[in-house]
Amino acid sequence: MATTTVESLEGVPDVAVTPPPRPSSHDLPGDTLDDIDAQAHGVGAGGIRTRTLIVLRLLGVVGQAAAIVFVGGILRFPLPYLPCAILVGVSALFNLLLMISPASRRLAKPWEAGAQLVFDLLQIAGLLLFTGGLSNPFCVLMLVPVTVAFATLPPRWAMALGVIAASLCLTLMFAGAPLPWPGPDPFRLPMLYRLGVVCALLLAMAVTGGFSFWTANRASEMELALHVTERVLAREQRISALGALAAAAAHELGTPLTTITVVAKELARETPEGPLREDAWLLMDEAQRCRGILKRLTDAPEEAEADQRLSLEEFLDDIVAPFDGDPVVRVEALVSGPADMPAPDIWRRTEIIHALNSIVENAFDFAKTEILIAAKFDDRHITIQVQDDGPGFAPEVLDRLGDPYVTTRPGAEGSRSGHQGMGLGFFIAKTLLERTGAVVNFRNGRRRGAIVAARWPRAAIEVED
């Protein structure tokens, strides 16, 4: 195994060797990349269940009824009971019809959820119209449908509902009955104050709506990216399970092949000289050959079990092998630790192999001449670090690397492979490594290049005798 240090990066080898095929972290199962790209541009429109809207409206009806009873019955404020009761009753009846409809058991379509939220806006605006307009402190409830819309609906529907809410606020600034107030004189706030209330409401709608949309968008992105990570890991685990599957097939096929061999031998003995006897001997030879192949497959589980335990040097050899011999970029490995301590054996984990291959592949795309994979160990930790001599991570994304859809090459600028990243490679690698107990960090070298380091407690990946 070649050894070097992080600080001493040498030139390009003179001998041109055709490199073996490299594993690609971009080869997700099926049409995952197309699906992800389509979904990634539609995040933030996750939708809302009709039952959730029903529950929110039920809470609103109960709260409105309680407020009317408290203000009118206990505080003795003169309220327009009839119009208020009609508006609350209409909302309750509408909610009851939705509860008994089949639509309550499914996800609401965007136009359905939008129509329900518009109804709620109009109902709240109607109550405010009869109870003081923007002089009523409960006018802040106009924010609720807008916030729900921006958190659950597609942007165009949410923006449309925001425009409706803004229009209703402007209407209430000029229209509306006086605020119910004890005493002979009606209570009206000055127009300038009502204008300030409108401005505050519009600003609050913009802030809460924008934050709700951003939060929902990030949650949808994270959910999608974690789904992709699960699919990548499942694919790698299926590949790892092929050896056990082959061994099981060999075990099942052993008996019929033995029968074929015995029958072919009897036919060869009893058949007179001629082409038919030669065919019988050929059939027996081929059956014996198949038994030899199956025997090797049967022995594979023991070899695979041994392969699961690797020294750090062997483990790094596995990571380097797909990139070894490239005529442009040399990939080297180094294991270092205390002189009086032997290098530990570690488990060959599917997650770690896939994640490190993805990280090295990314480094290979941007390295100039060399990539160094350094494994360091002490009595407490094992660290594997990948460093290239390329341009390093862009400063504007360095703090966000490892989050989904953060990429330094949306147009593949500076990439050797020309791959246009979606920003999922580092997220998947980081997620897989963290599942094995690693702490992952990204940084740039002091002089040049990008560095990705993963550190494990020894107990997390070390094989203990």
Side-chain angles (χ1 to χ4, degrees):
M1 176 180 298
T3 59
T4 183
T5 62
V6 174
E7 300 297 332
S8 60
L9 298 176
E10 301 179 6
V12 182
D14 296 329
V15 181
V17 181
T18 303
R22 287 184 293 273
S24 175
S25 62
H26 317 304
D27 298 333
L28 300 179
D31 56 349
T32 305
L33 281 179
D34 295 334
D35 293 343
I36 295 167
D37 190 51
Q39 296 177 51
H41 290 85
V43 291
I48 185 172
R49 297 190 65 84
T50 304
R51 186 173 297 276
T52 303
L53 292 173
I54 291 174
V55 171
L56 291 175
R57 191 174 298 107
L58 179 61
L59 293 175
V61 168
V62 172
Q64 292 165 3
I68 291 173
V69 171
F70 179 77
V71 173
I74 299 178
L75 298 183
R76 303 295 182 180
F77 281 34
L79 285 177
Y81 290 104
L82 180 59
C84 289
I86 291 175
L87 287 170
V88 174
V90 168
S91 182
L93 179 61
F94 178 63
N95 218 36
L96 180 62
L97 293 175
L98 284 176
M99 290 174 64
I100 63 178
S101 71
S104 64
R105 295 184 291 273
R106 61 172 173 82
L107 197 70
K109 298 177 181 177
W111 69 267
E112 293 174 342
Q116 292 187 49
L117 292 173
V118 169
F119 170 83
D120 294 333
L121 267 178
L122 293 174
Q123 193 259 358
I124 295 172
L127 286 174
L128 293 174
L129 184 67
F130 291 106
T131 56
L134 295 185
S135 300
N136 190 328
F138 287 98
C139 64
V140 295
L141 293 177
M142 296 284 287
L143 296 174
V144 175
V146 177
T147 303
V148 173
F150 274 94
T152 60
L153 297 183
R156 67 177 187 275
W157 291 92
M159 290 297 296
L161 194 133
V163 170
I164 294 174
S167 302
L168 291 173
C169 289
L170 290 172
T171 301
L172 291 172
M173 183 176 66
F174 299 100
L179 181 71
W181 200 259
D185 298 327
F187 183 87
R188 283 188 178 275
L189 291 173
M191 177 59 69
L192 183 61
Y193 187 89
R194 281 179 279 167
L195 177 61
V197 173
V198 169
C199 294
L201 284 175
L202 296 182
L203 181 61
M205 288 179 187
V207 173
T208 58
F211 181 76
S212 299
F213 178 78
W214 180 82
T215 303
N217 188 67
R218 293 290 295 172
S220 297
E221 289 180 349
M222 185 63 69
E223 181 182 1
L224 177 59
L226 287 173
H227 174 65
V228 175
T229 304
E230 294 288 348
R231 292 181 66 176
V232 169
L233 181 57
R235 183 198 65 174
E236 295 297 325
Q237 289 173 339
R238 285 197 300 270
I239 292 174
S240 298
L242 286 179
L245 181 61
H251 177 75
E252 295 295 331
L253 292 173
T255 300
L257 276 175
T258 301
T259 304
I260 292 172
T261 303
V262 172
V263 172
K265 185 180 293 186
E266 293 297 326
L267 287 175
R269 288 176 179 175
E270 298 180 4
T271 303
E273 292 290 341
L276 186 59
R277 186 174 185 179
E278 293 178 359
D279 290 342
W281 283 112
L282 177 61
L283 179 61
M284 186 175 63
D285 290 341
E286 292 299 318
Q288 291 287 357
R289 181 182 175 188
C290 289
R291 290 187 65 186
I293 295 173
L294 292 180
K295 185 178 184 303
R296 290 197 297 273
L297 289 177
T298 306
D299 295 337
E302 298 179 1
E303 298 174 3
E305 185 69 24
D307 287 344
Q308 298 304 310
R309 173 176 179 160
L310 301 174
S311 67
L312 272 179
E313 292 86 351
E314 293 170 334
F315 183 81
L316 293 190
D317 280 341
D318 275 2
I319 302 298
V320 170
F323 307 89
D324 195 21
D326 189 273
V328 179
V329 177
R330 182 173 65 249
V331 183
E332 297 190 8
L334 169 68
V335 177
S336 62
D340 58 344
M341 185 181 298
D345 290 349
I346 64 173
W347 293 112
R348 189 183 188 278
R349 300 279 295 272
T350 301
E351 302 97 314
I352 300 176
I353 292 291
H354 180 88
L356 291 178
N357 275 333
S358 177
I359 292 170
V360 175
E361 182 185 1
N362 185 81
F364 182 87
D365 273 353
F366 291 96
K368 294 179 180 178
T369 61
E370 192 169 60
I371 298 171
L372 175 66
I373 307 175
K376 304 174 184 179
F377 64 92
D378 54 31
D379 59 341
R380 298 178 58 190
H381 297 100
I382 297 174
T383 303
I384 297 180
Q385 176 177 293
V386 179
Q387 178 181 5
D388 62 66
D389 61 346
F393 296 120
E396 62 270 16
V397 300
L398 185 57
D399 292 337
R400 296 185 294 124
L401 280 175
D403 292 343
Y405 309 106
V406 175
T407 178
T408 59
R409 51 174 180 181
E413 296 87 352
S415 168
R416 179 172 287 103
S417 67
H419 169 70
Q420 296 186 5
M422 293 178 56
L424 284 178
F426 276 142
F427 171 79
I428 292 174
K430 182 172 181 286
T431 302
L432 293 179
L433 291 173
E434 287 176 344
R435 286 188 175 191
T436 64
V439 176
V440 184
N441 65 77
F442 307 91
R443 66 182 188 273
N444 287 323
R446 285 181 294 178
R447 292 188 295 177
R448 56 179 175 173
I451 300 175
V452 181
R455 187 181 70 171
W456 292 266
R458 287 185 61 142
I461 59 173
E462 183 182 7
V463 180
E464 295 184 2
D465 294 327

